[in-house]
Amino acid sequence: MKVCLLEDDLVLGRSLQTVLQDAGHETLWLRRIADARHWLAEQAFDALLLDLGLPDGNGMELLHEIRRDRRQLPVLLITARDSIEDRLHGLDSGADDYLVKPFVGAELLARLRAVTRRAGQSGDAAEAGIWTVKDLTLDEARMQLSRAGQAVALSKTEFTLLLTLMKFADRVLTRRELESRALPHSEGHALDVHMFNLRRKIGDGYIRTVRGVGFLVERQ
């Protein structure tokens, strides 16, 4: 899982980053809303851990922007504000869950798993790494893809591209987001070549090009 952590406290930020990385999650730790805006626009994340009191504003502002843009990114608020009014305000504003400081790492990881399961497919399928779109079924752990029950052989890069698109189904992913996930060291038109080969293997009707923006896989 790829997590964006927005927390300005140096000690807590380092601690949370360590907890997340030790659990196997790729974690980008940021301390300012402006930096979070930049990276959330540039890359695809599976979840955002969001503090509210930040040096350049209130984290709630960023949450409002995310939901205003109709982005379905799972957001877990992490804050010292523990009144019932604060909790209700955070949840009503679009947060998926609310965790009050101080908390233990195990609870953070459990809450994170829960919000990402709810945002994706059924809990059991997401937990097992099984992703389905139309008649495509992708097994993340086994690195296997089937279409209408028939196995489809993909290269590692093609598999990663399709996995990313299926995980973020119904969301347009920019070229830069896809390149950062599947082709971090690519140059030139490598993405176009891999996308062409992927489409040739799985057939038409799955991956849509959004001209001037990127690519999209729709669930229906």
Side-chain angles (χ1 to χ4, degrees), residues 123-136:
D124 291 341
E127 187 75 14
I130 307 297
W131 305 91
T132 59
V133 169
K134 299 177 182 176
D135 61 349
L136 293 179

Side-chain angles (χ1 to χ4, degrees), residues 131-138 145-152 166 201-202 206:
W131 305 91
T132 59
V133 169
K134 299 177 182 176
D135 61 349
L136 293 179
T137 301
L138 186 149
L145 173 71
S146 64
R147 182 186 62 208
Q150 299 296 312
V152 179
M166 290 177 69
K201 291 180 179 180
I202 66 175
Y206 300 101

Side-chain angles (χ1 to χ4, degrees), residues 4-6 28-42 45 56 62:
C4 181
L5 167 63
L6 184 53
L28 175 65
W29 172 31
L30 304 170
R31 300 180 62 213
R32 297 175 61 84
I33 292 174
D35 294 329
R37 286 193 183 105
H38 168 77
W39 286 106
L40 290 172
E42 293 291 316
F45 291 90
D56 57 340
L62 181 61

Side-chain angles (χ1 to χ4, degrees), residues 180-196:
S180 71
R181 291 248 177 172
L183 298 159
H185 307 297
S186 68
E187 296 181 358
H189 299 285
L191 177 62
D192 296 306
V193 173
H194 288 293
M195 195 64 73
F196 173 83

Side-chain angles (χ1 to χ4, degrees), residues 3 16-25 27 49 108-109 112:
V3 178
L16 294 178
Q17 184 179 44
T18 298
V19 168
L20 292 164
Q21 290 178 336
D22 286 349
H25 302 311
T27 305
L49 303 183
L108 171 67
L109 295 173
L112 184 60

